[in-house]
Amino acid sequence: MPTDQSITRAYAPYTPSWQRFHEFAAPLASSSGAGSAAMASAASQLNPYARQYSHVYSARLAALRERCLANAKQSARDEGIISGEDDDECAAERIIEVKEGVWSILVGTIVKETDPTRRPPVQSKYNDATDAQSFLFPSSDGENNGSQMKQIESLRSYLFDSEKGDVIHLEDESGRVELAPEDETLDAMSVDVDGSTFKKSNALDPNNLATGVVAAVVGKVCATKGIMKVHSIHFAGVPLSDATSQDAMLIEEEEEEEPVLLLVSGLGCGSDSSTDGETGASLALRREMLLEYLTDPSLSNGASVCRVIIAGGGVSPSNQSAGDIGRPGGPNKENSKKNYNNVAKSKSSKPSDAANHMAFSLRELDLYISELLSSGIPVDYIPGWHDPTNANWPQRPLHSCLLPLSCTFVDLFSRCTNPYEGTLGVARSRNGAKNAESSMKVLGSDGLSVADLRRFLSKSDSTKDNDAEKNDGDDAIVSSCMDALHQTLKYGHMAPTGPDSLPTFPSSESDPFVLSSRPDVYFVGNCDRFETRLVNVNGEEIDESGDDKVGTCMTRLVCVPSFALTGEVVLVKLKSLECEVVSFNDANL
């Protein structure tokens, strides 16, 4: 390993683009003083809460309609269902204009209606939730479980069952139509020439849908029941790349070490307080190991890290130990006596306990980030989970007064929105000659949108594998974080369950979560384990051990594990998009 202290850190030019989420992140502040009444009246007209949430779905449908329709037409032509001359006649402009008994293509928003007792629970009283995570994953009983334990308990999805009253509709501004598989006896199965059955990749699968997803369906409307028998369903798919984004696999590797992006989430600062000394010390030691890895040039390849992105979970929940953050086995006995969500209201707690804990956690987070910045490492901080910011998506950056030490590094520190977006410049070469710098688009979030989506996606227990968690509801299992993240890429939307389940602002002119261009790196934080996948422009997984990735534009999907739970961070090489996980484990120390 190199020991020269004059080693220079890898560098990649950075252009932030997360600001586009900021305009949707909060209403205007109230006015005071002279003329405040007139200003407040004008501000109320621009306040996003003065609009209806129906505008969100209208804007989403308008943004994704043409992409869904193009995919549906292409598939129908390939199968011989329609010809190139009559494809416009088959595509109905509005659902109310669909004709019965003929092949039709409809585009709309999925509405998945289930029995209320089988719908994933959310917090009924918004003011009882201390943050967005508490709102989506409330405690369902008197036991006081850990924050991520509540998430695991709330990850309960059910198999779609029409006999139990489950119905799926396709809806637009004109009306809605009920959807059903083309052949209910085979469900989403097709019969091959040899008599064997197989699952069609584009068949209607209600267990793979959630309310808010925009889709195009190909099928026929029955004249008797008015139900559309769906032959195939098509989503917007992976968007096209930006003009500046280039294919990494066509570029020959340079001899010098390529820059690396480090992704981490769930640092859990504040959990090592005096009341949580035993478990907090272990997490604090892991954080120090990570800090030394990044700041000491003589250690490993830490100097190749050109940027650090902290994907939420920077502070711990009130009265919650590090061992409880995401621990599958549950919280320890001492901490199970108090619910962090009710600390401020507990008779045995002072009213300021939660506020004091938050202040302590922020000071520790600020100190930790400032130590990274003082070593010349650019850091982007994405809020989320338990951070003091608005609960509705997009979430605003933390205020500068909360991180005073870190904010002194103006050129290195970025307080970002949740979701996050930015581009990193990478110098590339081909045949030994350097080309102009190209950009790698990085897109991601703290993981709350994917955690919410997982509650509506399920698989049959017969398909159980190591990538999904067992579920007690109707022999169903919850989709893995990676499957849900991959599905959002196919949907062409980062948060399809908002605002139906995920709280969002009612934007009317455009939907900020629509994927308008293909990201090169697409990540979510606060996952229970590390997962990664490489997909092509069609959204299909690429075999990284073969030659499938040669000559293709790719997107690297990354599920960043919670550092408090696993002690792991993820490294992504910006040129080749190769990905690896680094573990900081103090068990043997």
Side-chain angles (χ1 to χ4, degrees):
M1 302 302 296
T3 57
D4 185 4
Q5 297 298 318
S6 64
I7 290 179
T8 58
R9 180 167 298 280
Y11 171 74
Y14 171 69
T15 304
S17 53
W18 51 263
Q19 290 88 344
R20 72 181 183 89
F21 295 110
H22 204 188
E23 59 180 301
F24 300 95
L28 297 177
S30 58
S31 304
S32 59
S36 60
M39 296 178 65
S41 176
S44 64
Q45 298 178 4
L46 300 177
N47 192 310
Y49 289 112
R51 298 187 290 263
Q52 294 291 328
Y53 272 98
S54 60
H55 298 304
V56 177
Y57 293 110
S58 299
R60 184 181 306 173
L61 179 59
L64 297 176
R65 176 183 173 84
E66 293 303 321
R67 286 162 56 183
C68 294
L69 185 60
N71 292 337
K73 288 181 178 180
Q74 184 62 47
S75 177
R77 285 193 294 264
D78 293 342
E79 295 186 37
I81 295 177
I82 62 175
S83 61
E85 293 78 12
D86 58 357
D87 57 357
D88 290 334
E89 297 181 2
C90 293
E93 289 293 330
R94 299 187 300 169
I95 290 179
I96 198 173
E97 299 174 358
V98 66
K99 299 178 181 179
E100 297 178 345
V102 297
W103 286 108
S104 303
I105 301 177
L106 300 179
V107 184
T109 304
I110 295 294
V111 179
K112 191 174 179 180
E113 297 181 349
T114 59
D115 185 353
T117 60
R118 291 153 47 86
R119 182 181 174 89
V122 296
Q123 183 63 264
S124 58
K125 295 182 179 180
Y126 190 83
N127 57 355
D128 287 345
T130 58
D131 48 40
Q133 193 268 352
S134 304
F135 178 75
L136 286 179
F137 303 103
S139 180
S140 58
D141 51 26
E143 295 295 327
N144 302 313
N145 299 321
S147 61
Q148 231 168 333
M149 269 303 301
K150 293 194 301 180
Q151 173 189 339
I152 294 174
E153 291 178 357
S154 297
L155 280 176
R156 183 179 300 279
S157 61
Y158 297 88
L159 291 176
F160 185 87
D161 192 346
S162 57
E163 295 181 357
K164 294 184 178 180
D166 297 344
V167 182
I168 187 168
H169 294 96
L170 190 71
E171 182 180 87
D172 66 5
E173 295 87 343
S174 66
R176 60 168 54 176
V177 60
E178 182 177 344
L179 305 180
E182 189 176 32
D183 190 340
E184 295 182 352
T185 59
L186 294 178
D187 201 356
M189 310 298 290
S190 293
V191 181
D192 206 348
V193 290
D194 58 357
S196 61
T197 60
F198 64 94
K199 188 171 183 178
K200 294 166 54 180
S201 60
N202 56 358
L204 176 64
D205 184 3
N207 297 310
N208 205 33
L209 297 173
T211 297
V213 174
V214 175
V217 295
V218 180
K220 297 180 180 181
V221 176
C222 299
T224 55
K225 298 182 179 180
I227 299 176
M228 185 170 191
K229 296 293 184 177
V230 178
H231 175 76
S232 60
I233 183 169
H234 307 272
F235 307 116
V238 182
L240 298 177
S241 304
D242 290 330
T244 56
S245 181
Q246 298 185 13
D247 179 15
M249 300 315 299
L250 289 179
I251 307 301
E252 295 183 358
E253 294 295 334
E254 299 183 21
E255 295 181 359
E256 59 194 43
E257 195 169 15
E258 60 181 305
V260 174
L261 174 67
L262 188 144
L263 304 173
V264 62
S265 67
L267 290 175
C269 292
S271 60
D272 48 348
S273 61
S274 57
T275 56
D276 304 318
E278 181 179 353
T279 55
S282 175
L283 177 56
L285 180 57
R286 288 181 175 183
R287 287 197 297 263
E288 289 302 317
M289 294 169 65
L290 172 60
L291 181 63
E292 187 176 6
Y293 170 84
L294 289 171
T295 57
D296 192 339
S298 64
L299 290 178
S300 187
N301 60 343
S304 65
V305 176
C306 67
R307 197 167 203 89
V308 174
I309 298 179
I310 303 176
V315 299
S316 65
S318 176
N319 258 26
Q320 200 60 48
S321 70
D324 292 340
I325 303 177
R327 175 182 292 176
N332 57 41
K333 295 181 180 179
E334 178 181 357
N335 289 313
S336 64
K337 295 179 182 179
K338 291 184 179 181
N339 186 350
Y340 84 96
N341 193 32
N342 298 318
V343 166
K345 298 181 291 184
S346 175
K347 295 181 180 179
S348 61
S349 304
K350 296 180 180 180
S352 60
D353 282 351
N356 290 338
H357 176 85
M358 177 60 69
F360 171 76
S361 301
L362 286 171
R363 284 195 299 269
E364 183 172 301
L365 175 65
D366 186 26
L367 179 61
Y368 188 80
I369 295 178
S370 64
E371 290 186 66
L372 289 173
L373 295 168
S374 62
S375 299
I377 307 175
V379 177
D380 296 337
Y381 187 81
I382 305 173
W385 294 88
H386 313 289
D387 292 311
T389 184
N390 57 290
N392 286 20
W393 272 43
Q395 292 181 298
R396 299 166 63 186
L398 295 187
H399 197 280
S400 58
C401 69
L402 301 177
L403 303 172
L405 297 178
S406 302
C407 289
T408 59
F409 298 87
V410 180
D411 297 330
L412 295 177
F413 183 55
S414 297
R415 296 174 293 109
C416 308
T417 59
N418 182 30
Y420 166 91
E421 186 180 63
T423 56
L424 292 171
V426 181
R428 301 181 181 277
S429 64
R430 181 182 284 110
N431 299 327
K434 278 195 174 183
N435 289 338
E437 192 175 85
S438 61
S439 62
M440 303 293 289
K441 182 177 179 180
V442 181
L443 181 68
S445 71
D446 70 327
L448 197 60
S449 59
V450 168
D452 183 51
L453 177 62
R454 292 178 66 195
R455 302 188 298 174
F456 300 92
L457 307 181
S458 59
K459 303 177 184 178
S460 173
D461 190 28
S462 60
T463 63
K464 181 181 178 182
D465 52 33
N466 295 329
D467 293 331
E469 296 176 10
K470 183 68 173 65
N471 193 302
D472 297 332
D474 295 352
D475 295 327
I477 53 176
V478 181
S479 296
S480 67
C481 290
M482 176 52 64
D483 288 340
L485 176 63
H486 193 177
Q487 203 63 39
T488 62
L489 191 65
K490 295 179 180 179
Y491 293 155
H493 199 277
M494 294 187 67
T497 56
D500 176 66
S501 177
L502 182 74
T504 63
F505 284 104
S507 56
S508 60
E509 297 179 359
S510 63
D511 189 339
F513 307 115
V514 170
L515 299 178
S516 57
S517 61
R518 180 186 63 83
D520 296 287
V521 179
Y522 186 26
F523 69 89
V524 290
N526 295 287
C527 300
D528 51 0
R529 63 181 179 272
F530 166 73
E531 295 177 277
T532 186
R533 188 175 294 174
L534 199 62
V535 299
N536 58 21
V537 291
N538 297 321
E540 301 170 346
E541 184 176 1
I542 297 176
D543 182 9
E544 299 189 49
S545 61
D547 298 331
D548 295 345
K549 58 184 180 180
V550 176
T552 61
C553 294
M554 304 172 300
T555 297
R556 169 65 68 179
L557 306 181
V558 183
C559 289
V560 184
S562 170
F563 189 80
L565 171 64
T566 64
E568 296 176 346
V569 300
V570 180
L571 302 179
V572 181
K573 295 182 179 180
L574 294 180
K575 293 181 182 178
S576 61
L577 291 184
E578 293 179 1
C579 186
E580 64 176 312
V581 62
V582 179
S583 178
F584 298 89
N585 194 338
D586 63 322
N588 299 324
L589 297 181

